């Protein structure tokens, strides 16, 4: 059994297409197919359901691809560990980040890159918490920044980073005469633009309001906090966003930021890594950076 065969098998399971898997592995499609057939012959079980095109993994393939991912992850971890002993950390850290933390992740990755100049960091910042946890379990990510509440974090090490708090932002004229903090009832009377229903930040808001018999009915919904800020900066809109975004993007000119109380909507943001030992040396180094760095975006 060769590592190359396992790499091709895992790539096929990920891409679900022979040509795309071959391209991802920088080999021809016949070479990839032949390597997987040899792996099947060696293991004496069929791994792939074949027809005119790729039709999925067999039940045996679904079980064994988990082992293939683990073997490849352990192999990479071993190489990184040896390299760290010889010349310092090298390789690529794969980090999944929820959209709400994409504006604050630099508070962690910047000191990490400073401490480990030979390591490359690959960020994916459009993932949801559950998807990040799932991809860490498949060894496709080394670490993630997520909302841990409501997510199954069994088998993971959870390192809290900061407490996210929702605030009201609006054009100064819209808030003329309003005292700090603004009540939720008054905030809901403003022309609101909010995140889409189903996004975690919106769920936090809707759950908190529902507990107090209130409902948000925004005139505009978006899947990006940047889009919400762009509308608010025009002066005619208000929004409710995590205050952490204002650490990076700053409050637009002519816009006020006002705390919201009773209820105060907060959520923990945390770094998660596999709890398996010895695990990824890159993930361990990231956790160590977290303990040394000041992750406080307020």
């Amino acid at each position: 059994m060769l590592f190359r065969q396992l790499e091709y098998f895992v790539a096929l399971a990920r891409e679900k297409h022979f040509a795309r898997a071959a391209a991802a592995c920088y080999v021809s499609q016949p070479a990839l197919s032949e390597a997987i057939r040899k792996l099947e012959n060696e293991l004496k079980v069929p791994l792939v359901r074949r027809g005119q095109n790729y039709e999925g993994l067999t039940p045996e393939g679904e079980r064994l691809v988990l082992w293939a991912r683990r073997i490849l992850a352990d192999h990479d971890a071993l190489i990184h560990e040896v390299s760290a002993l010889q010349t310092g950390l090298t390789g690529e850290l794969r980090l999944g980040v929820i959209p709400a933390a994409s504006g604050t992740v630099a508070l962690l990755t910047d000191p990490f890159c400073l401490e480990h100049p030979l390591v490359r960091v690959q960020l994916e910042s459009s993932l949801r918490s559950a998807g990040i946890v799932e991809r860490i379990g498949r060894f496709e990510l080394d670490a993630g920044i997520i909302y841990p509440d409501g997510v199954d974090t069994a088998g993971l090490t959870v390192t809290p980073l900061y407490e996210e708090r929702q605030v009201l932002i609006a054009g100064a004229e819209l808030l003329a005469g309003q005292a700090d903090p603004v009540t939720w009832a008054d905030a809901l009377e403003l022309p609101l633009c909010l995140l889409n229903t189903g996004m975690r930040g919106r769920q936090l808001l809707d759950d908190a309001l529902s507990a107090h018999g209130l409902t948000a009915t925004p005139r505009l919904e978006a899947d990006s906090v940047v889009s919400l800020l762009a509308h608010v900066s025009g002066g005619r809109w208000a929004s409710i966003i995590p205050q952490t975004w204002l650490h990076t993007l700053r409050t637009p000119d002519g816009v006020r930021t006002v705390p919201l109380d009773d209820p105060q909507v907060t959520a923990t943001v945390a770094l998660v890594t596999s709890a398996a030992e010895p695990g990824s040396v890159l993930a361990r180094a990231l956790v160590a950076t977290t303990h040394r760095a000041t992750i406080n975006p307020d």
Side-chain angles (χ1 to χ4, degrees), residues 70-147:
R70 179 177 299 177
I71 291 168
L72 292 174
D74 286 345
H75 176 258
D76 288 344
L78 174 62
I79 297 301
H80 292 152
E81 193 86 43
V82 171
S83 177
L85 292 171
Q86 294 174 334
T87 61
L89 283 184
T90 60
E92 181 176 87
L93 174 75
R94 301 160 301 173
L95 180 60
V97 183
I98 55 174
S102 60
T104 55
V105 65
L107 296 174
L108 179 56
T109 52
D110 184 55
F112 176 83
C113 290
L114 184 63
E115 293 173 8
H116 307 289
L118 299 181
V119 177
R120 302 181 308 277
V121 178
Q122 182 69 40
L123 286 178
E124 292 189 51
S125 58
S126 59
L127 305 175
R128 297 195 177 190
S129 297
I132 290 172
V133 168
E134 181 181 337
R135 290 185 61 183
I136 291 175
R138 295 202 305 261
F139 305 100
E140 294 175 358
L141 293 173
D142 299 298
I145 298 178
I146 69 169
Y147 292 120

Side-chain angles (χ1 to χ4, degrees), residues 34 70 93 104 147 159 215 219 232 247 260 264 287:
E34 180 61 22
R70 179 177 299 177
L93 174 75
T104 55
Y147 292 120
T159 305
T215 304
R219 293 180 56 194
V232 172
H247 173 84
L260 288 162
Q264 187 177 87
V287 173

Side-chain angles (χ1 to χ4, degrees), residues 92-235:
E92 181 176 87
L93 174 75
R94 301 160 301 173
L95 180 60
V97 183
I98 55 174
S102 60
T104 55
V105 65
L107 296 174
L108 179 56
T109 52
D110 184 55
F112 176 83
C113 290
L114 184 63
E115 293 173 8
H116 307 289
L118 299 181
V119 177
R120 302 181 308 277
V121 178
Q122 182 69 40
L123 286 178
E124 292 189 51
S125 58
S126 59
L127 305 175
R128 297 195 177 190
S129 297
I132 290 172
V133 168
E134 181 181 337
R135 290 185 61 183
I136 291 175
R138 295 202 305 261
F139 305 100
E140 294 175 358
L141 293 173
D142 299 298
I145 298 178
I146 69 169
Y147 292 120
D149 294 342
V151 178
D152 183 4
T153 56
L156 297 177
T157 297
V158 180
T159 305
L161 296 177
Y162 59 85
E163 199 73 13
E164 178 186 270
R165 178 170 51 87
Q166 301 284 324
V167 295
L168 174 70
I169 60 169
E173 292 186 5
L174 286 178
L175 296 178
Q178 294 278 9
D180 293 353
V182 173
T183 67
W184 280 98
D186 288 339
L188 296 179
E189 292 297 321
L190 297 170
L192 287 174
C193 54
L194 298 176
L195 291 175
N196 289 338
T197 301
M199 296 185 71
R200 180 58 175 163
R202 178 64 182 276
Q203 289 176 340
L204 290 168
L205 176 61
D206 287 344
D207 289 348
L209 292 176
S210 177
H212 287 69
L214 300 171
T215 304
T217 54
R219 293 180 56 194
L220 182 148
E221 294 182 317
D223 63 357
S224 163
V225 173
V226 173
S227 295
L228 300 181
L229 285 170
H231 280 81
V232 172
S233 65

Side-chain angles (χ1 to χ4, degrees), residues 274-296:
S274 174
E277 294 293 345
S280 163
V281 65
L282 296 177
R284 295 204 308 271
L286 184 65
V287 173
T289 298
T290 300
H291 292 315
R292 290 190 295 270
T294 301
I295 314 296
N296 183 10

